[in-house]
Amino acid sequence: MTVELDLVWAVMKWPFVACLVLPPLLVYLGLHVVEREVIFVDLALAQVATLGTSMALLMGYDFHDRIVFWISLGVTFLGAALFSWTRGRKKGPVPQEAIIGITFVVAAAGVILLLSRVAGGREELEHLLTGDILNVTGAEVGQRALLFALLAAFYAAFHERFALISSDPEAAFAQGMRVRLWDFLFYAAFALVVVSFVRVAGVLLTFAYLIVPAVCAVTLAKNWLTRLAVGWAAGAGASMVGLTASYVLDLPTGAAIVCASGLTLVVVGLSSALRDV
C-alpha cells in the first residue's frame, strides 16, 4: 500500500503543486475579464499564443525550443495591442467582444492551416489544446511560479488603476488616465501569463482556470480579496477532483480538470439559487 501511495505521489506531485500554486493569478485576471464583460478575451489570447507556437513549428523549431516561447509571446503582444487599441471611451457601433471573437476565429483557423503543413500536425494541435500538465516538471513549475509572483507584484502595485479601468472606464478617462496605455500594460502582462501557462496546460485548461473560478467567486462574494480566496478555493477543489479522476479512471488530465471545473460551477450556481429562494 505504501509503495502504491509513493508511486501515486511521484506521478502526481508536480501536477498537484502546479494546480495549487499557479491558478491564483489566473483567478485575479479572470475577475477583471468578468468585470470588463469580455469573457472570451483570455480564450482569444490563448488562441493567438497557439498561433504563434504554430508559426514557430512551421519554421522548423521544436515545441520545447526557447525561441518558440518568444515567437508565441511576440504574436500574443500584437493581440494585446489590438485589444487595448479597440477599447474606446464609449461603446461604438462594433462592440469589443466582436473584435475578440473575430480574433479567436481567425487565430484558430490559422492554427489549423499552419499545422496542416507540419509533420504530425494533428498531434501537435491536440497537444496545444489539452496541454500535458500531468508531465509537468519541478523546474517548469518553479520557473512559472517565479514569473507569476513577479507579475502578481506588478498587478498588485497598480491594482487600483486596473480595477477602475475594468469597472468604470469612463471615470478613468475623466480623471485623465491614459487608459489605452494602461490597458496595453494589463494585456501585455496578461499575454505573458497566458503564453507561459498554455505551454504546460493547453488552451482549454487555461481558459477554464481564468473564467470558471472567477465566475464562482463573483457569484459568492463581493470584494476583491474575498473573491480571490473563493476563486482559488474553487479552482483548487476542481483541480483535485480532476487530477484524482484522471489518475483513477485513466482520463486525459487537462480535460478532466476542465469538466470538474464545470461541475464546480454547477454546484455553486445551485447553492446560490437555493440561498436566494
Side-chain angles (χ1 to χ4, degrees):
M1 184 68 175
T2 303
V3 174
E4 183 178 349
L5 289 175
D6 288 342
L7 179 61
V8 172
W9 177 243
V11 173
M12 304 301 288
K13 175 175 65 176
W14 290 117
F16 176 83
V17 173
C19 290
L20 286 181
V21 173
L22 302 181
L25 182 56
L26 299 176
V27 174
Y28 174 79
L29 293 172
L31 290 173
H32 278 284
V33 168
V34 172
E35 189 75 33
R36 292 171 179 232
E37 297 181 350
V38 286
I39 304 303
F40 293 103
V41 69
D42 41 11
L43 186 58
L45 282 176
Q47 195 63 60
V48 170
T50 304
L51 178 64
T53 300
S54 301
M55 292 170 61
L57 294 176
L58 186 63
M59 293 177 191
Y61 297 108
D62 182 80
F63 179 82
H64 298 287
D65 291 343
R66 186 176 296 274
I67 193 172
V68 175
F69 171 84
W70 293 109
I71 292 173
S72 180
L73 183 61
V75 174
T76 312
F77 276 166
L78 294 178
L82 173 65
F83 296 151
S84 59
W85 178 72
T86 55
R87 192 182 191 204
R89 181 166 186 167
K90 296 181 180 180
K91 289 186 177 181
V94 179
Q96 191 180 32
E97 190 75 0
I99 303 298
I100 292 168
I102 292 169
T103 302
F104 168 76
V105 169
V106 172
V111 168
I112 293 172
L113 291 177
L114 292 176
L115 291 183
S116 70
R117 298 296 182 181
V118 175
R122 184 181 297 274
E123 291 76 15
E124 293 288 358
L125 179 59
E126 182 178 353
H127 176 75
L128 292 170
L129 283 174
T130 61
D132 194 20
I133 198 167
L134 187 62
N135 292 316
V136 69
T137 65
E140 290 174 327
V141 174
Q143 291 168 0
R144 283 158 179 79
L146 176 60
L147 174 63
F148 282 20
L150 294 173
L151 291 173
F154 165 74
Y155 281 116
F158 300 107
H159 169 69
E160 290 187 5
R161 289 177 180 265
F162 291 136
L164 179 61
I165 292 172
S166 292
S167 61
D168 195 350
E170 290 191 15
F173 275 112
Q175 292 181 18
M177 194 180 296
R178 301 178 68 180
V179 173
R180 284 195 175 92
L181 173 61
W182 284 102
D183 246 5
F184 173 73
L185 294 175
F186 175 85
Y187 281 124
F190 196 143
L192 190 52
V193 173
V194 167
V195 172
S196 300
F197 201 70
V198 163
R199 287 178 64 81
V200 297
V203 173
L204 298 180
L205 185 54
T206 300
F207 179 72
Y209 273 137
L210 280 162
I211 290 300
V212 177
V215 172
C216 292
V218 170
T219 302
L220 298 177
K222 299 297 183 183
N223 64 68
W224 277 89
L225 286 178
T226 307
R227 284 177 173 178
L228 279 173
V230 171
W232 176 82
S239 296
M240 297 308 99
V241 172
L243 285 170
T244 302
S246 171
Y247 183 83
V248 173
L249 302 176
D250 193 23
L251 298 171
T253 308
I257 297 175
V258 171
C259 290
S261 298
L263 290 175
T264 301
L265 183 56
V266 170
V267 171
V268 168
L270 289 174
S271 64
S272 179
L274 291 174
R275 182 185 61 188
D276 294 337
V277 170

